[in-house]
Amino acid sequence: MTMVCLSDFEAYAKKYLPKMAWDFFAAGADDCSTRDENILAYKRIHFRPRMLRDVSMMDIRTKLLGTEISFPVGIAPTGFHQLAWPDGEKSTARAAKAMNTCYIVSTYSTCTLEEISAAAPGGLRWFQLYIHRNRAVSQQLVQQAEALGFQGLVLTADLPYTGKRRDDVRNGFRLPPHMKLKNIEDAFEVCKISPLDPSVTWNDIYWLRSLTHLPIIIKGILTKEDAELAVRHGVQGIIVSNHGGRQLDGGPATIDALVEVVEAVQDRVEVYLDGGIRKGSDVLKALSLGAKCVFIGRPALWGLTYKGEEGLQDVLRILQDEFRLSIALAGCANVSEIGRHLVQFSKL
């Protein structure tokens, strides 16, 4: 089967993954309205392409906090990659390095941070953190990530409790016996309730700052109020995210929330986005509305399901080619020419 676009990988993953794994990756909270809206919202944004611009020489590189990546798409933190492919996060790390982009490694990875680092030495990696009730576990993870050469710390802010994902409840979702959350096994064994700490506040950013020299990026911001607070608390980046629609159902699509966050931030920190990216033209829409880079979650898992590291590289390469074509057809030769003038919202 020739894989032409990301939905080809989705169809493959749906066909070949065990039902429990597919349902877990696909799940949204409650009615899945926000999950679906993340994708639908892009259809309401239209381009205002410019013609007769010299696009013979294209440059789609950009920088994340000063580090260059080959194009403005990275890999969002998602858990349990071994459900998709036996080598799990090691394959993800290798694919990200091969494509010269950023991979945000989840706290809930099924490979250790050491294994992931060793699989792709020198790759650009950030570490995504959930703060646990047992703060020593979180502290140890942060310091370990920094020691292993991770270059950023991504604090997920939208998960004081896990959203209700109906299929996971129906399926009684649990990891197969041979898989472990390698970085936090002990935390789960000690805590009979959820190990996540629902008492986390903005002040905990100061605590994180005391543990590490890494830049802190906060993930899960959807309002101007929280964007302001993030800047005030000294973060270096914001990921506009609704957790792939897996937390509070009925919240905004991330592309709709992006405008509000970008306006509030006023270039004081870098703003990124995840959720609903399925085509290169979606990447262009997000950048036109002020995102510096986007991150893909489920499509990365579909790529892994297809052919591991090679399949994920295929997904990234398709997005890269589509993005290059989209910006050329919109009349831009490089990312610095992309701006708000390129898009308009549907009147519907």
Side-chain angles (χ1 to χ4, degrees), residues 32-265:
C32 300
S33 310
T34 298
R35 179 198 68 183
D36 297 343
E37 188 62 20
N38 272 353
I39 294 169
L40 291 171
Y42 283 93
K43 300 187 191 310
R44 293 193 290 272
I45 300 167
H46 299 280
F47 290 116
R48 302 180 63 251
R50 301 299 307 278
M51 302 302 144
L52 301 176
R53 316 261 296 179
D54 181 356
V55 289
S56 56
M57 300 289 285
M58 302 293 297
D59 182 0
I60 59 170
R61 294 171 299 172
T62 192
K63 287 184 175 175
L64 291 187
L65 299 179
T67 302
E68 187 176 281
I69 55 175
S70 62
F71 74 124
V73 177
I75 299 171
T78 49
F80 312 161
H81 288 196
Q82 282 184 352
L83 287 175
W85 188 254
D87 255 5
E89 290 81 5
K90 292 184 282 189
S91 291
T92 312
R94 286 192 284 260
K97 184 183 176 186
M99 293 299 292
N100 187 25
T101 193
C102 179
Y103 166 33
I104 308 176
V105 177
S106 171
T107 289
Y108 290 169
S109 56
T110 43
C111 300
T112 66
L113 297 186
E114 291 97 335
E115 288 171 332
I116 295 165
S117 297
L124 173 59
R125 279 183 295 278
W126 293 350
F127 174 64
Q128 174 271 329
L129 178 72
Y130 292 120
I131 294 181
H132 286 79
R133 292 172 193 265
N134 179 351
R135 291 295 174 98
V137 172
S138 297
Q139 178 172 343
Q140 190 180 346
L141 280 172
V142 170
Q143 291 169 337
Q144 185 186 13
E146 184 168 9
L148 287 167
F150 283 70
Q151 288 170 256
L153 179 66
V154 176
L155 173 65
T156 294
D158 60 5
L159 207 123
Y161 300 96
T162 304
K164 183 178 179 183
R165 303 160 199 167
R166 294 173 187 171
D167 282 344
D168 289 347
V169 177
R170 290 187 185 108
N171 294 336
F173 175 79
R174 57 190 309 129
L175 279 181
H178 64 282
M179 277 180 218
K180 297 275 188 290
L181 293 176
K182 290 284 187 64
N183 299 298
I184 50 166
E185 277 179 85
D186 298 341
F188 269 89
E189 279 157 20
V190 171
C191 284
K192 297 301 176 220
I193 47 175
S194 165
L196 298 171
D197 186 348
S199 73
V200 172
T201 70
W202 289 100
N203 285 334
D204 290 298
I205 291 175
Y206 300 128
W207 170 69
L208 284 178
R209 172 67 58 235
S210 74
L211 303 180
T212 179
H213 295 102
L214 293 177
I216 294 173
I217 299 100
I218 189 159
K219 174 182 181 289
I221 301 300
L222 293 166
T223 60
K224 62 177 188 277
E225 293 88 349
D226 282 343
E228 283 284 359
L229 282 165
V231 174
R232 207 178 308 154
H233 285 81
V235 305
Q236 277 73 46
I238 289 172
I239 303 178
V240 175
S241 174
N242 53 32
H243 219 98
R246 294 163 78 81
Q247 284 300 99
L248 178 65
D249 201 29
T254 51
I255 192 72
D256 290 339
L258 177 66
V259 177
E260 180 176 324
V261 171
V262 166
E263 282 173 3
V265 163

Side-chain angles (χ1 to χ4, degrees), residues 259-278:
V259 177
E260 180 176 324
V261 171
V262 166
E263 282 173 3
V265 163
Q266 294 289 321
D267 289 330
R268 289 173 290 175
V269 301
E270 292 186 0
V271 177
Y272 320 114
L273 168 142
D274 67 24
I277 297 287
R278 298 293 182 268

